Amino acid sequence: MDIARTPSSPDGNIEMADAAVEPHDPPEIRREDYRPFPWMVPETRLEFDLGLESTRVRSRLTVARNAKADASPTIRLNGDGLIPTSVKIDGEPTRAYTMDGDDLVLTLPGEAHEIAIETEIDPSSNTQLMGLYASNGMLCTQCESEGFRRITFFPDRPDVLSTFTVRMSGAKDQFPILLCNGNRTDEGEDGDTHWAEWHDPWPKPSYLFALVAGDLVARSDSFTTMNGREVELNVWVRDGDLPRTEHAMESLKRSMKWDEEAFGREYDLDLFNIVAVSDFNMGAMENKGLNVFNTKYVLADPETATDGDFDAVEGVIGHEYFHNWSGNRITCRDWFQLSLKEGFTVLRDQLFSQDMGSEPVKRIEDVRILRLAQFPEDSGPLAHPIRPDSYREISNFYTATVYNKGAEVIRMMRTMAGEEAFRKGTDLYFDRHDGEAATCEDFVRSIEDGAGLDLKQFRLWYSQAGTPKVSVELTHEGEEAVLKLRQTVPPTPGQPDKKPMPIPLKLALFDQQTASHSGEQLIVLDTESAEHRFDGFANKPVLSINRGFSAPVTIDRAIDREDLVFLAASDDDPFARYEAMQDLMVRHLVAAVAGKLSEEERNRGGASIAEAMGAILADPDIDDLMRGELMSMPSQTYITEQMELADPGLIHAERERLKALVGSQLSEPLHRLYERAEQVPFSLDAEAKGARKLKTMVLAYAAASDPEKAAELAAHQYDRADNMTDRQGALMVLTGLEGVERTNKLLDFYNRYEGNALVIDKWFALQASSLHPKVVEHVKALADHPDFTLRNPNRVRSLYMAFAGNPQGFHAASGEGYRMIGDLILELDPINAQTAARFVPPLGRWRKVEPQRAALMREQLERIAKAEKLSRDTYEQVSRSLAD
């Protein structure tokens, strides 16, 4: 499952004496308490009589005692808000069952039985968008992690694997298309009703079940696998959206081919369906053979989608397709193992995307996301290992730590093993565990055995939270360069003391005179401190370290500003060059915010940064996609992470001041770049995408240094734009400025795209994330706009998540930004608890900001915590954020 790049009840893996608990007292589920389920469910048959307001579900479960589990005369079938209308055991009606909270508990005397249960549900009232729900006249499902129990009673846990046979029936005019997992085996009509039967031959857990019924059209194609299987491919959308599905189909075919070549994985059904749904909590879901997607990650054309949108569609489609093996064929034993499938699959989609585009730019993008989302998580009250020890609500663990840090941990194994040996390890993993519910330990052991590595100490990455900090000092003695390294892993909630972890660091030592080095080296820091000596240096070299971001750590290096300028201009590792530029700016900004710079020092530091930036602008060997990355300023979130206590207002002011200084000093070369980029015609190739990125970067610097000129340029770009990337880039700048052009272009944009939900989402987000001084007032007004609704997660995120990520508005000194998010959480929680809970972490960062704002943030958390009938999702996030 993709978490929308930017996840109810207790986990059935743990038997509890009483599942009926108050929302404010959710039970703690612990990994150490895992026990195999006492019953296997080798076969599941489902029948659906479909209706938007009433759907009848008949299930027949073949169950048999599990010889690998403790014997139990009872079977617990999880439910969530269900009432059984009929229960049969071996064909005979029975009332010999009890309801334990939401769960149905049966006593079964023999070794094998058939259980038949009928339920009736109302999809139209399911605003939580979990289980079976209605979306704009169609029916669809989302079952990960615990949504299947909202459809019918079942042992809803990932280690219970079953083959599913499904019959769906519904009105032909209302549900002309009926889709489910696996292959369609039969279909027919009966008057105004029609039906379809589906069978998935591959055993799967209930969280991978999917059903879609509605009025849809398909872009169809086919793919021939490496062993000659002909696979029918369909991308299903609403009729008017069909022209925007070509990129999605091509992305799917590229994903299938890449997975065969890179990991030797072949698709295993005759059919692969993707369905785009407008109401969806996440980005997409990997249900076997029937991937359900948020429309945001399917629909794309140049007029309505940016270059970033095109990349996201390709990446998410790849991610969900790759899950067919890393998540479906091998699934998780329990939800503590979530990173087994998600971390590995994120790495796979990252490698795919870098092969489809620019490897260094993709690497920088991935690290930026890690630093923006995961590093703050790792240093705050919600910190947890990539394999948690406990949880209270599993939906809260669909996090950047599990996904993005999980990917980095597996990437480190790949770095230490080498690509070829790592491939041997993954092949062994797929061979050993195909058809099983596996653990993170199973994966690590496969890599260990296949690649010939000793990963005993490396396993600490799975159990310890926190971002390691590596202190680096390079000295020069005679002909030797001496590198001293020290690692610390900071305390996190529940883990005050940490052990040293193996940290693979790629490095190179540059001769400053020749701007060359003798080769990249890999060292592994696996002790608290270490010293490495390098011979043959008459002069002190310049150290380039953590090249390619070989480890997800922070580097504290004692390095002169002049050496950073040298690396920013001369390092041959693209990420290290980017990192040097970021370090230059972060050091300057942190010192300025802390009041450690005089006016002269502030100007001199800004001039050094402008000098390094000027070298980047003039370097003919850098392609424009990479040039755009090197020009980008560190985010305010990343700057905040470098400080003990941050003043968001001062950080914003100093960041804008530096941007203005650089923009002013480099005005001429920046505008020459802009003029050159304007001459590049639209296409989706790297040159054209780089040109569009440069134009937006130049406009951003101009907005800080010369707002009047920026408004003129942005309005001109908006009017001439023949693609969404240029139009959105121009509007982004205009929304942060005063003047008539802002009003005119916002109105034009809305009128031009009214009715296109995804583009109107952009219209909301651009205003909520703008640098305009009245952004708080603007967001309040937008919340009352006729097009705004709390029932569509995309729309909620477009306005309020964009605002929560906008430091100028969210951290307004008055506290109004915090109150807005607090109000939103309380209003949204009864409608969609998963989405509401995701707005808590921005408030939970109160410990990182200065005392006045911290008190205002904490006040909102305390207000939320006192609310009656708060969901488990939100309550857990709030209580952890307030914990001492």
Side-chain angles (χ1 to χ4, degrees):
M1 179 162 60
D2 186 272
I3 52 173
R5 6 184 131 172
T6 35
S8 26
S9 51
D11 184 6
N13 284 359
I14 312 300
E15 298 297 322
M16 295 181 300
D18 186 2
V21 294
E22 292 300 316
H24 280 44
D25 187 27
E28 182 179 36
I29 311 301
R30 298 180 300 175
R31 181 166 55 88
E32 66 182 24
D33 292 337
Y34 169 81
R35 298 293 183 274
F37 194 65
W39 296 87
M40 297 183 296
V41 187
E43 184 179 0
T44 299
R45 300 186 66 87
L46 301 171
E47 294 183 16
F48 289 87
D49 295 334
L50 300 171
L52 291 175
E53 296 181 350
S54 176
T55 289
R56 183 170 293 276
V57 185
R58 290 180 288 274
S59 67
R60 281 187 290 155
L61 315 181
T62 300
V63 302
R65 291 193 182 276
N66 184 356
K68 297 180 179 179
D70 295 336
S72 172
T74 63
I75 184 170
R76 175 183 293 270
L77 303 179
N78 303 119
D80 186 354
L82 300 177
I83 297 174
T85 58
S86 170
V87 179
K88 296 180 181 180
I89 299 177
D90 298 327
E92 296 296 324
T94 180
R95 292 187 175 276
Y97 64 84
T98 59
M99 294 298 297
D100 188 359
D102 277 337
D103 294 347
L104 187 151
V105 181
L106 292 160
T107 299
L108 302 177
E111 297 296 313
H113 299 276
E114 182 184 88
I115 302 171
I117 303 173
E118 290 190 18
T119 57
E120 189 168 340
I121 54 180
D122 178 4
S124 66
S125 67
N126 184 0
T127 64
Q128 300 292 336
L129 309 185
M130 287 292 290
L132 179 68
Y133 64 93
S135 174
N136 292 324
M138 63 185 289
L139 292 174
C140 53
T141 56
Q142 170 58 32
C143 292
E144 186 176 357
S145 56
E146 296 177 340
F148 191 77
R149 64 185 64 184
R150 296 170 66 89
I151 298 172
T152 187
F153 292 98
F154 196 84
D156 189 13
R157 42 187 285 166
D159 62 342
V160 176
L161 307 184
S162 184
T163 57
F164 282 72
T165 301
V166 179
R167 180 185 173 95
M168 308 159 60
S169 63
K172 287 186 292 186
D173 60 341
Q174 190 172 30
F175 307 118
I177 300 299
L178 302 173
L179 303 173
C180 197
N181 304 91
N183 296 316
R184 185 171 48 242
T185 57
D186 201 1
E187 58 187 336
E189 298 183 4
D190 183 11
D192 294 334
T193 300
H194 71 145
W195 54 269
E197 291 186 352
W198 295 77
H199 177 64
D200 186 353
W202 301 100
K204 64 176 179 284
S206 55
Y207 83 83
L208 289 173
F209 173 80
L211 172 159
V212 175
D215 190 0
L216 301 166
V217 294
R219 179 181 292 274
S220 300
D221 208 325
S222 65
F223 180 83
T224 303
T225 70
M226 60 187 181
N227 286 314
R229 178 192 288 271
E230 189 77 9
V231 182
E232 178 188 338
L233 309 177
N234 296 296
V235 178
W236 296 92
V237 294
R238 297 189 181 279
D239 190 17
D241 292 331
L242 196 60
R244 293 191 283 161
T245 58
E246 180 180 2
H247 179 64
M249 179 60 79
E250 293 304 311
S251 297
L252 174 58
K253 291 192 291 185
R254 286 192 291 269
S255 302
M256 298 176 81
K257 181 175 176 58
W258 182 88
D259 207 20
E260 289 182 347
E261 295 172 347
F263 282 89
R265 299 299 104 195
E266 182 180 22
Y267 188 60
D268 52 9
L269 290 169
D270 300 327
L271 182 64
F272 190 93
N273 285 315
I274 287 174
V275 181
V277 178
S278 56
D279 299 295
F280 205 66
N281 284 338
M282 300 296 186
M285 180 62 211
E286 70 267 18
N287 320 292
K288 183 75 176 179
L290 178 58
N291 286 187
V292 180
F293 273 66
N294 191 317
T295 51
K296 178 179 175 65
Y297 298 106
V298 172
L299 306 180
D301 65 7
E303 173 62 21
T304 60
T306 65
D307 294 338
D309 293 331
F310 274 93
D311 290 344
V313 167
E314 182 176 68
V316 175
I317 283 180
H319 180 95
E320 304 309 332
Y321 174 75
F322 302 146
H323 264 313
N324 186 61
W325 278 90
S326 51
N328 296 0
R329 287 284 288 264
I330 305 176
T331 191
C332 302
R333 186 196 73 177
D334 54 69
W335 290 120
F336 297 103
Q337 320 298 328
L338 183 59
S339 197
L340 170 74
K341 73 181 185 79
E342 295 300 349
F344 186 26
T345 305
V346 168
L347 175 63
R348 277 153 53 73
D349 83 52
Q350 290 175 351
L351 297 175
F352 166 67
S353 293
Q354 72 182 37
D355 284 351
M356 297 301 106
S358 167
E359 180 176 351
V361 169
K362 175 59 178 170
R363 188 65 185 132
I364 289 169
E365 291 172 350
D366 292 337
V367 174
R368 184 185 297 121
I369 291 171
L370 190 78
R371 287 173 168 170
L372 185 66
Q374 197 279 319
F375 276 20
E377 193 169 85
D378 238 356
S379 65
L382 303 180
H384 58 276
I386 65 172
R387 184 190 57 199
D389 292 321
S390 66
Y391 63 79
R392 294 183 183 275
E393 175 49 60
I394 184 55
S395 65
N396 287 331
F397 279 89
Y398 284 76
T399 62
T401 296
V402 166
Y403 281 67
N404 302 81
K405 185 176 181 178
E408 294 296 327
V409 168
I410 298 174
R411 186 186 287 264
M412 284 191 289
M413 290 188 238
R414 184 172 182 262
T415 296
M416 294 187 295
E419 293 182 23
E420 184 176 341
F422 180 76
R423 169 65 188 274
K424 290 180 180 178
T426 59
D427 285 348
L428 185 59
Y429 169 68
F430 290 126
D431 290 344
R432 279 180 176 176
H433 300 290
D434 186 12
E436 295 181 2
T439 66
C440 294
E441 174 61 27
D442 292 328
F443 181 84
V444 175
R445 190 180 297 113
S446 295
I447 300 300
E448 198 169 43
D449 295 344
L453 290 177
D454 179 356
L455 296 174
K456 181 178 180 181
Q457 185 185 3
F458 188 85
R459 287 166 168 80
L460 289 169
W461 280 99
Y462 280 86
S463 59
Q464 293 190 163
T467 303
K469 178 179 180 180
V470 178
S471 300
V472 179
E473 181 183 4
L474 183 71
T475 58
H476 187 246
E477 301 174 4
E479 295 286 315
E480 280 189 325
V482 182
L483 176 63
K484 296 179 180 179
L485 303 171
R486 175 176 293 275
Q487 68 163 295
T488 55
V489 188
T492 52
Q495 293 186 340
D497 302 309
K498 308 293 178 66
K499 297 178 181 178
M501 300 191 291
I503 299 174
L505 296 168
K506 291 183 177 179
L507 61 87
L509 294 167
F510 278 86
D511 183 295
Q512 196 158 13
Q513 303 303 314
T514 64
S516 63
H517 61 83
S518 59
E520 185 176 83
Q521 301 181 54
L522 175 67
I523 63 174
V524 178
L525 175 64
D526 55 8
T527 54
E528 184 177 338
S529 61
E531 181 177 289
H532 298 267
R533 293 179 174 267
F534 306 91
D535 294 324
F537 291 95
N539 299 304
K540 183 181 179 182
V542 180
L543 173 67
S544 170
I545 194 166
N546 206 22
R547 292 159 66 83
F549 201 69
S550 56
V553 301
T554 60
I555 299 291
D556 179 18
R557 51 180 171 178
I559 184 172
D560 295 335
R561 184 168 61 192
E562 292 74 17
D563 287 346
L564 283 176
V565 172
F566 166 82
L567 292 172
S570 305
D571 203 317
D572 62 343
D573 178 85
F575 178 81
R577 191 171 187 181
Y578 164 83
E579 189 77 326
M581 196 68 213
Q582 294 288 295
D583 279 358
L584 267 175
M585 291 187 276
V586 167
R587 288 184 182 203
H588 174 85
L589 290 167
V590 168
V593 169
K596 296 180 180 179
L597 299 181
S598 66
E599 189 69 15
E600 180 183 353
E601 289 171 328
R602 184 184 273 111
N603 290 333
R604 189 165 62 246
S608 294
I609 292 168
E611 176 189 349
M613 186 81 75
I616 289 165
L617 301 184
D619 191 336
D621 295 327
I622 304 176
D623 66 71
D624 285 342
L625 275 174
M626 187 66 200
R627 199 185 316 275
E629 295 296 338
L630 293 170
M631 291 169 63
S632 64
M633 295 192 68
S635 70
Q636 183 155 336
T637 298
Y638 184 57
I639 297 165
T640 298
E641 284 301 300
Q642 315 309 308
M643 308 184 72
E644 287 295 323
L645 281 182
D647 184 322
L650 284 178
I651 293 175
H652 173 74
E654 289 294 344
R655 190 174 180 273
E656 289 304 300
R657 176 174 177 153
L658 176 60
K659 194 191 300 181
L661 189 152
V662 172
S664 178
Q665 292 199 11
L666 297 177
S667 177
E668 289 189 17
L670 283 169
H671 283 86
R672 284 198 300 271
L673 272 182
Y674 189 91
E675 291 169 0
R676 173 172 68 76
E678 270 199 310
Q679 305 309 309
V680 180
F682 177 83
S683 77
L684 289 175
D685 65 21
E687 179 187 7
K689 290 168 72 173
R692 291 191 288 275
K693 181 186 283 190
L694 282 186
K695 285 191 283 185
T696 298
M697 294 301 302
V698 172
L699 286 178
Y701 279 103
S705 59
D706 190 348
E708 188 173 332
K709 179 65 174 176
E712 179 184 334
L713 267 179
H716 173 73
Q717 176 171 308
Y718 182 94
D719 290 336
R720 293 188 66 225
D722 61 357
N723 62 86
M724 179 54 73
T725 304
D726 279 346
R727 186 168 288 121
Q728 178 175 289
L731 192 60
M732 178 193 72
V733 170
L734 288 171
T735 55
L737 302 174
E738 297 282 8
V740 67
E741 288 292 4
R742 178 187 189 276
T743 302
N744 289 344
K745 300 312 182 196
L746 278 171
L747 181 60
D748 177 82
F749 191 90
Y750 178 83
N751 290 336
R752 183 187 298 252
Y753 297 108
E754 186 178 8
N756 186 316
L758 293 179
V759 183
I760 296 303
D761 284 342
K762 298 178 189 295
W763 184 78
F764 277 97
L766 284 167
Q767 295 174 78
S769 59
S770 83
L771 298 179
H772 198 284
K774 295 182 179 178
V775 64
V776 174
E777 297 174 30
H778 295 160
V779 171
K780 285 183 177 179
L782 288 167
D784 292 328
H785 193 279
D787 283 348
F788 184 76
T789 173
L790 288 178
R791 291 183 177 267
N792 180 266
N794 281 357
R795 189 56 47 87
V796 174
R797 288 188 288 258
S798 71
L799 181 63
Y800 283 108
M801 196 59 80
F803 177 74
N806 181 350
Q808 177 172 324
F810 179 65
H811 289 293
S814 65
E816 186 63 22
Y818 309 143
R819 282 193 293 275
M820 286 173 60
I821 297 301
D823 290 344
L824 168 72
I825 292 169
L826 289 170
E827 187 177 2
L828 184 59
D829 188 63
I831 300 170
N832 189 324
Q834 278 196 21
T835 302
R838 293 189 177 279
F839 285 90
V840 175
L843 291 170
R845 301 295 296 151
W846 60 272
R847 293 173 179 82
K848 286 293 293 185
V849 302
E850 51 82 18
Q852 182 176 346
R853 285 182 174 88
L856 294 171
M857 295 168 78
R858 185 180 175 100
E859 178 183 317
Q860 293 305 310
L861 290 169
E862 291 170 342
R863 178 167 74 102
I864 297 166
K866 293 176 182 177
E868 295 183 4
K869 298 182 179 179
L870 203 61
S871 70
R872 293 173 186 262
D873 309 63
T874 299
Y875 178 75
E876 180 182 28
Q877 294 287 74
V878 171
S879 61
R880 290 175 64 200
S881 296
L882 286 169
D884 294 330

